[in-house]
Amino acid sequence: MNRLYRRVFSGGADRLASTKYQLRLFATSRAVATTVASKSPDNFYVTQPIFYVNSVPHIGHFYTIVLSDTITRYAQLQGKCTKLSAGTDEHGLKIQQAAEKAGKETLAFCTQFSDSFRALQKASNTSDVDYIRTTDPKHFKAVEHFWNVLVERGHIYKGEHSGWYAVSDEAYYTESQIEERIDEKTGERKKYAIESGQPVEWVSEVNYKFRLSEFRDRLVQWIESNPDVVYPEIRRNEVLGWLKSGLEDLSISRPRSRLQWGIPVPNDSDHTIYVWVDALVNYATVDGYPSKSNPTFFPPDVQVVGKDIVRFHAVYWPALLMAAGLPLPRRILAHAHWTMGSQKMSKSKGNVVDPFEAIEQYGIDPLRYFMIRNGGIANDGDYSSEEVVVRYKKDL
């Protein structure tokens, strides 16, 4: 280990001591799955969320990469044989529309951005990464198999679905999950998802639905029986709040007439599999699902995600795994976001940080150190060039 990582892991200041505790917590993750996995206890699997290819990488993506890689390296120090997965999420209505707007063939559009995220993995000096694209043929086969298992086990049915749909989130919201406010650009009153702040529109259509409501009690029991399975505590409480307020069945397909860019529903070419079902299965695809009779690394020991996608990973994903008879993730680490000057980063404000430029300016080790030292797990971290320099001079 070089001097940088000795400092991160050695404790010292309260923040670093906390980091050391959290890494030890993740690297010694105990099994909490309701289905017993057959993987070796010496194998340790860390996942990054697969990044959506509608835009270039930003500093938040870099933080996720560095955080997951740091956990992986710490597990290696404990003598574990590790796997770190990463990749890109390339299906969905948002991608279809973005490619059309750019005047590009959809797969070429996806490849352009996927290559950029792959380049960031390399620039970040991560450990060996199993990189997956949801447009890979092996992933198509895995998703089709997963869908068929759910059908065979009676967890999918066809029905009318109506709700407030956010294209940006690729998700439906209930009446209690939206609010009405003034659009700053047009001055019109519009409806938005409270959770993400994205605009919504009313959609009614016939879809395939997953019996999510039937898994509410099992999900509550899973989380309450394993206090660290969703981390930090603020996210665990958030998830329990959602579950205890009730779950509705989940729409898991879209009409092919509206969404062509995705994996067709097996035996029904008029429908496309919901992008989040497609995307979540990647964590199994990476470990050879469904061709392997015995998993080598699945289930994940630590799944690193941003706090904005914790619902998909801590509610939908474990419910889908329960339904398919697969083991559950051992920990879900939902980290906070990054601000600049305590303001949310956005292109319109001109305060988005390009990770490639930051690496070029400060060097990879100092920047990795700053991200782990100042990054937030429960609370948002604040990025500033001045603070990167201060950390370098004072700590390194």
PDB file of all heavy atoms in Angstrom, residues 125-146:
ATOM      1  N   ASN A 125      -7.813   4.805 -12.050  1.00  0.00           N
ATOM      2  CA  ASN A 125      -6.877   3.830 -11.496  1.00  0.00           C
ATOM      3  C   ASN A 125      -7.584   2.799 -10.630  1.00  0.00           C
ATOM      4  O   ASN A 125      -7.132   2.439  -9.541  1.00  0.00           O
ATOM      5  CB  ASN A 125      -5.778   4.537 -10.677  1.00  0.00           C
ATOM      6  CG  ASN A 125      -4.608   3.610 -10.363  1.00  0.00           C
ATOM      7  OD1 ASN A 125      -4.367   2.653 -11.088  1.00  0.00           O
ATOM      8  ND2 ASN A 125      -3.907   3.893  -9.284  1.00  0.00           N
ATOM      9  N   THR A 126      -8.720   2.313 -11.130  1.00  0.00           N
ATOM     10  CA  THR A 126      -9.468   1.305 -10.383  1.00  0.00           C
ATOM     11  C   THR A 126      -8.817  -0.063 -10.544  1.00  0.00           C
ATOM     12  O   THR A 126      -8.027  -0.304 -11.452  1.00  0.00           O
ATOM     13  CB  THR A 126     -10.928   1.216 -10.875  1.00  0.00           C
ATOM     14  OG1 THR A 126     -10.939   1.003 -12.293  1.00  0.00           O
ATOM     15  CG2 THR A 126     -11.689   2.480 -10.567  1.00  0.00           C
ATOM     16  N   SER A 127      -9.223  -0.961  -9.638  1.00  0.00           N
ATOM     17  CA  SER A 127      -8.801  -2.352  -9.748  1.00  0.00           C
ATOM     18  C   SER A 127      -9.399  -2.931 -11.030  1.00  0.00           C
ATOM     19  O   SER A 127     -10.201  -2.289 -11.703  1.00  0.00           O
ATOM     20  CB  SER A 127      -9.304  -3.142  -8.543  1.00  0.00           C
ATOM     21  OG  SER A 127      -8.947  -2.510  -7.331  1.00  0.00           O
ATOM     22  N   ASP A 128      -9.020  -4.160 -11.354  1.00  0.00           N
ATOM     23  CA  ASP A 128      -9.604  -4.802 -12.531  1.00  0.00           C
ATOM     24  C   ASP A 128     -11.126  -4.765 -12.439  1.00  0.00           C
ATOM     25  O   ASP A 128     -11.709  -5.163 -11.428  1.00  0.00           O
ATOM     26  CB  ASP A 128      -9.132  -6.251 -12.627  1.00  0.00           C
ATOM     27  CG  ASP A 128      -7.659  -6.347 -12.993  1.00  0.00           C
ATOM     28  OD1 ASP A 128      -7.129  -5.368 -13.550  1.00  0.00           O
ATOM     29  OD2 ASP A 128      -7.044  -7.393 -12.713  1.00  0.00           O
ATOM     30  N   VAL A 129     -11.757  -4.268 -13.497  1.00  0.00           N
ATOM     31  CA  VAL A 129     -13.204  -4.082 -13.501  1.00  0.00           C
ATOM     32  C   VAL A 129     -13.851  -5.007 -14.523  1.00  0.00           C
ATOM     33  O   VAL A 129     -13.382  -5.122 -15.656  1.00  0.00           O
ATOM     34  CB  VAL A 129     -13.570  -2.614 -13.833  1.00  0.00           C
ATOM     35  CG1 VAL A 129     -15.067  -2.452 -14.009  1.00  0.00           C
ATOM     36  CG2 VAL A 129     -13.079  -1.678 -12.737  1.00  0.00           C
ATOM     37  N   ASP A 130     -14.916  -5.689 -14.106  1.00  0.00           N
ATOM     38  CA  ASP A 130     -15.755  -6.430 -15.056  1.00  0.00           C
ATOM     39  C   ASP A 130     -16.767  -5.441 -15.608  1.00  0.00           C
ATOM     40  O   ASP A 130     -17.714  -5.052 -14.915  1.00  0.00           O
ATOM     41  CB  ASP A 130     -16.471  -7.589 -14.360  1.00  0.00           C
ATOM     42  CG  ASP A 130     -15.606  -8.818 -14.272  1.00  0.00           C
ATOM     43  OD1 ASP A 130     -15.149  -9.283 -15.321  1.00  0.00           O
ATOM     44  OD2 ASP A 130     -15.378  -9.303 -13.152  1.00  0.00           O
ATOM     45  N   TYR A 131     -16.553  -5.025 -16.833  1.00  0.00           N
ATOM     46  CA  TYR A 131     -17.357  -3.956 -17.433  1.00  0.00           C
ATOM     47  C   TYR A 131     -18.451  -4.556 -18.303  1.00  0.00           C
ATOM     48  O   TYR A 131     -18.180  -5.386 -19.163  1.00  0.00           O
ATOM     49  CB  TYR A 131     -16.456  -3.046 -18.273  1.00  0.00           C
ATOM     50  CG  TYR A 131     -17.071  -1.717 -18.644  1.00  0.00           C
ATOM     51  CD1 TYR A 131     -16.956  -0.618 -17.790  1.00  0.00           C
ATOM     52  CD2 TYR A 131     -17.757  -1.566 -19.844  1.00  0.00           C
ATOM     53  CE1 TYR A 131     -17.510   0.604 -18.131  1.00  0.00           C
ATOM     54  CE2 TYR A 131     -18.317  -0.336 -20.186  1.00  0.00           C
ATOM     55  CZ  TYR A 131     -18.190   0.743 -19.326  1.00  0.00           C
ATOM     56  OH  TYR A 131     -18.750   1.956 -19.672  1.00  0.00           O
ATOM     57  N   ILE A 132     -19.685  -4.112 -18.077  1.00  0.00           N
ATOM     58  CA  ILE A 132     -20.821  -4.657 -18.806  1.00  0.00           C
ATOM     59  C   ILE A 132     -21.624  -3.531 -19.445  1.00  0.00           C
ATOM     60  O   ILE A 132     -21.713  -2.421 -18.905  1.00  0.00           O
ATOM     61  CB  ILE A 132     -21.731  -5.480 -17.859  1.00  0.00           C
ATOM     62  CG1 ILE A 132     -22.861  -6.163 -18.658  1.00  0.00           C
ATOM     63  CG2 ILE A 132     -22.298  -4.618 -16.735  1.00  0.00           C
ATOM     64  CD1 ILE A 132     -23.674  -7.140 -17.840  1.00  0.00           C
ATOM     65  N   ARG A 133     -22.177  -3.836 -20.602  1.00  0.00           N
ATOM     66  CA  ARG A 133     -23.136  -2.940 -21.251  1.00  0.00           C
ATOM     67  C   ARG A 133     -24.460  -3.693 -21.361  1.00  0.00           C
ATOM     68  O   ARG A 133     -24.469  -4.875 -21.696  1.00  0.00           O
ATOM     69  CB  ARG A 133     -22.641  -2.524 -22.638  1.00  0.00           C
ATOM     70  CG  ARG A 133     -21.336  -1.760 -22.632  1.00  0.00           C
ATOM     71  CD  ARG A 133     -20.860  -1.450 -24.043  1.00  0.00           C
ATOM     72  NE  ARG A 133     -21.830  -0.649 -24.789  1.00  0.00           N
ATOM     73  CZ  ARG A 133     -21.668  -0.245 -26.042  1.00  0.00           C
ATOM     74  NH1 ARG A 133     -20.574  -0.592 -26.715  1.00  0.00           N
ATOM     75  NH2 ARG A 133     -22.595   0.481 -26.647  1.00  0.00           N
ATOM     76  N   THR A 134     -25.567  -3.017 -21.115  1.00  0.00           N
ATOM     77  CA  THR A 134     -26.849  -3.716 -21.190  1.00  0.00           C
ATOM     78  C   THR A 134     -27.251  -4.040 -22.629  1.00  0.00           C
ATOM     79  O   THR A 134     -28.243  -4.735 -22.852  1.00  0.00           O
ATOM     80  CB  THR A 134     -27.971  -2.908 -20.512  1.00  0.00           C
ATOM     81  OG1 THR A 134     -28.050  -1.601 -21.098  1.00  0.00           O
ATOM     82  CG2 THR A 134     -27.730  -2.799 -19.025  1.00  0.00           C
ATOM     83  N   THR A 135     -26.479  -3.559 -23.588  1.00  0.00           N
ATOM     84  CA  THR A 135     -26.690  -3.934 -24.987  1.00  0.00           C
ATOM     85  C   THR A 135     -25.882  -5.182 -25.370  1.00  0.00           C
ATOM     86  O   THR A 135     -25.959  -5.627 -26.518  1.00  0.00           O
ATOM     87  CB  THR A 135     -26.315  -2.770 -25.922  1.00  0.00           C
ATOM     88  OG1 THR A 135     -25.024  -2.260 -25.560  1.00  0.00           O
ATOM     89  CG2 THR A 135     -27.339  -1.643 -25.829  1.00  0.00           C
ATOM     90  N   ASP A 136     -25.113  -5.735 -24.417  1.00  0.00           N
ATOM     91  CA  ASP A 136     -24.351  -6.963 -24.693  1.00  0.00           C
ATOM     92  C   ASP A 136     -25.304  -8.144 -24.904  1.00  0.00           C
ATOM     93  O   ASP A 136     -26.274  -8.307 -24.144  1.00  0.00           O
ATOM     94  CB  ASP A 136     -23.423  -7.296 -23.518  1.00  0.00           C
ATOM     95  CG  ASP A 136     -22.276  -6.311 -23.365  1.00  0.00           C
ATOM     96  OD1 ASP A 136     -21.984  -5.597 -24.342  1.00  0.00           O
ATOM     97  OD2 ASP A 136     -21.672  -6.270 -22.275  1.00  0.00           O
ATOM     98  N   PRO A 137     -25.041  -8.997 -25.891  1.00  0.00           N
ATOM     99  CA  PRO A 137     -25.902 -10.163 -26.132  1.00  0.00           C
ATOM    100  C   PRO A 137     -26.067 -11.060 -24.904  1.00  0.00           C
ATOM    101  O   PRO A 137     -27.155 -11.579 -24.650  1.00  0.00           O
ATOM    102  CB  PRO A 137     -25.179 -10.896 -27.269  1.00  0.00           C
ATOM    103  CG  PRO A 137     -24.442  -9.816 -28.002  1.00  0.00           C
ATOM    104  CD  PRO A 137     -23.992  -8.863 -26.930  1.00  0.00           C
ATOM    105  N   LYS A 138     -24.992 -11.250 -24.123  1.00  0.00           N
ATOM    106  CA  LYS A 138     -25.094 -12.112 -22.945  1.00  0.00           C
ATOM    107  C   LYS A 138     -26.088 -11.556 -21.932  1.00  0.00           C
ATOM    108  O   LYS A 138     -26.752 -12.311 -21.203  1.00  0.00           O
ATOM    109  CB  LYS A 138     -23.725 -12.319 -22.289  1.00  0.00           C
ATOM    110  CG  LYS A 138     -23.127 -11.063 -21.671  1.00  0.00           C
ATOM    111  CD  LYS A 138     -21.784 -11.344 -21.003  1.00  0.00           C
ATOM    112  CE  LYS A 138     -21.203 -10.074 -20.363  1.00  0.00           C
ATOM    113  NZ  LYS A 138     -19.888 -10.330 -19.723  1.00  0.00           N
ATOM    114  N   HIS A 139     -26.204 -10.223 -21.894  1.00  0.00           N
ATOM    115  CA  HIS A 139     -27.146  -9.609 -20.956  1.00  0.00           C
ATOM    116  C   HIS A 139     -28.579  -9.803 -21.439  1.00  0.00           C
ATOM    117  O   HIS A 139     -29.485 -10.014 -20.624  1.00  0.00           O
ATOM    118  CB  HIS A 139     -26.818  -8.130 -20.773  1.00  0.00           C
ATOM    119  CG  HIS A 139     -27.702  -7.463 -19.757  1.00  0.00           C
ATOM    120  ND1 HIS A 139     -27.663  -7.801 -18.420  1.00  0.00           N
ATOM    121  CD2 HIS A 139     -28.668  -6.507 -19.886  1.00  0.00           C
ATOM    122  CE1 HIS A 139     -28.555  -7.073 -17.760  1.00  0.00           C
ATOM    123  NE2 HIS A 139     -29.172  -6.285 -18.628  1.00  0.00           N
ATOM    124  N   PHE A 140     -28.809  -9.720 -22.737  1.00  0.00           N
ATOM    125  CA  PHE A 140     -30.140  -9.995 -23.282  1.00  0.00           C
ATOM    126  C   PHE A 140     -30.615 -11.369 -22.818  1.00  0.00           C
ATOM    127  O   PHE A 140     -31.753 -11.527 -22.350  1.00  0.00           O
ATOM    128  CB  PHE A 140     -30.104  -9.957 -24.816  1.00  0.00           C
ATOM    129  CG  PHE A 140     -30.351  -8.601 -25.420  1.00  0.00           C
ATOM    130  CD1 PHE A 140     -29.474  -7.551 -25.188  1.00  0.00           C
ATOM    131  CD2 PHE A 140     -31.458  -8.369 -26.210  1.00  0.00           C
ATOM    132  CE1 PHE A 140     -29.684  -6.307 -25.749  1.00  0.00           C
ATOM    133  CE2 PHE A 140     -31.691  -7.129 -26.780  1.00  0.00           C
ATOM    134  CZ  PHE A 140     -30.805  -6.083 -26.553  1.00  0.00           C
ATOM    135  N   LYS A 141     -29.741 -12.365 -22.931  1.00  0.00           N
ATOM    136  CA  LYS A 141     -30.099 -13.729 -22.553  1.00  0.00           C
ATOM    137  C   LYS A 141     -30.406 -13.819 -21.058  1.00  0.00           C
ATOM    138  O   LYS A 141     -31.341 -14.527 -20.642  1.00  0.00           O
ATOM    139  CB  LYS A 141     -28.968 -14.687 -22.926  1.00  0.00           C
ATOM    140  CG  LYS A 141     -28.759 -14.831 -24.438  1.00  0.00           C
ATOM    141  CD  LYS A 141     -27.598 -15.776 -24.743  1.00  0.00           C
ATOM    142  CE  LYS A 141     -27.371 -15.894 -26.248  1.00  0.00           C
ATOM    143  NZ  LYS A 141     -26.208 -16.767 -26.566  1.00  0.00           N
ATOM    144  N   ALA A 142     -29.610 -13.122 -20.254  1.00  0.00           N
ATOM    145  CA  ALA A 142     -29.816 -13.165 -18.804  1.00  0.00           C
ATOM    146  C   ALA A 142     -31.163 -12.543 -18.428  1.00  0.00           C
ATOM    147  O   ALA A 142     -31.900 -13.080 -17.589  1.00  0.00           O
ATOM    148  CB  ALA A 142     -28.678 -12.432 -18.094  1.00  0.00           C
ATOM    149  N   VAL A 143     -31.488 -11.408 -19.041  1.00  0.00           N
ATOM    150  CA  VAL A 143     -32.748 -10.720 -18.730  1.00  0.00           C
ATOM    151  C   VAL A 143     -33.942 -11.554 -19.187  1.00  0.00           C
ATOM    152  O   VAL A 143     -34.945 -11.673 -18.460  1.00  0.00           O
ATOM    153  CB  VAL A 143     -32.769  -9.316 -19.381  1.00  0.00           C
ATOM    154  CG1 VAL A 143     -34.141  -8.660 -19.201  1.00  0.00           C
ATOM    155  CG2 VAL A 143     -31.692  -8.431 -18.777  1.00  0.00           C
ATOM    156  N   GLU A 144     -33.855 -12.135 -20.358  1.00  0.00           N
ATOM    157  CA  GLU A 144     -34.944 -12.986 -20.845  1.00  0.00           C
ATOM    158  C   GLU A 144     -35.166 -14.171 -19.911  1.00  0.00           C
ATOM    159  O   GLU A 144     -36.311 -14.528 -19.594  1.00  0.00           O
ATOM    160  CB  GLU A 144     -34.617 -13.475 -22.260  1.00  0.00           C
ATOM    161  CG  GLU A 144     -34.701 -12.383 -23.319  1.00  0.00           C
ATOM    162  CD  GLU A 144     -34.208 -12.843 -24.678  1.00  0.00           C
ATOM    163  OE1 GLU A 144     -33.584 -13.937 -24.747  1.00  0.00           O
ATOM    164  OE2 GLU A 144     -34.442 -12.124 -25.665  1.00  0.00           O
ATOM    165  N   HIS A 145     -34.071 -14.799 -19.471  1.00  0.00           N
ATOM    166  CA  HIS A 145     -34.181 -15.930 -18.550  1.00  0.00           C
ATOM    167  C   HIS A 145     -34.803 -15.478 -17.228  1.00  0.00           C
ATOM    168  O   HIS A 145     -35.696 -16.163 -16.688  1.00  0.00           O
ATOM    169  CB  HIS A 145     -32.803 -16.541 -18.297  1.00  0.00           C
ATOM    170  CG  HIS A 145     -32.833 -17.715 -17.373  1.00  0.00           C
ATOM    171  ND1 HIS A 145     -33.084 -18.997 -17.799  1.00  0.00           N
ATOM    172  CD2 HIS A 145     -32.655 -17.793 -16.018  1.00  0.00           C
ATOM    173  CE1 HIS A 145     -33.060 -19.817 -16.758  1.00  0.00           C
ATOM    174  NE2 HIS A 145     -32.798 -19.105 -15.673  1.00  0.00           N
ATOM    175  N   PHE A 146     -34.353 -14.355 -16.696  1.00  0.00           N
ATOM    176  CA  PHE A 146     -34.865 -13.824 -15.429  1.00  0.00           C
ATOM    177  C   PHE A 146     -36.366 -13.568 -15.543  1.00  0.00           C
ATOM    178  O   PHE A 146     -37.144 -13.929 -14.644  1.00  0.00           O
ATOM    179  CB  PHE A 146     -34.122 -12.536 -15.079  1.00  0.00           C
ATOM    180  CG  PHE A 146     -34.394 -12.014 -13.694  1.00  0.00           C
ATOM    181  CD1 PHE A 146     -33.675 -12.479 -12.608  1.00  0.00           C
ATOM    182  CD2 PHE A 146     -35.367 -11.044 -13.478  1.00  0.00           C
ATOM    183  CE1 PHE A 146     -33.913 -12.002 -11.327  1.00  0.00           C
ATOM    184  CE2 PHE A 146     -35.619 -10.560 -12.203  1.00  0.00           C
ATOM    185  CZ  PHE A 146     -34.894 -11.035 -11.121  1.00  0.00           C
TER     186      PHE A 146
END
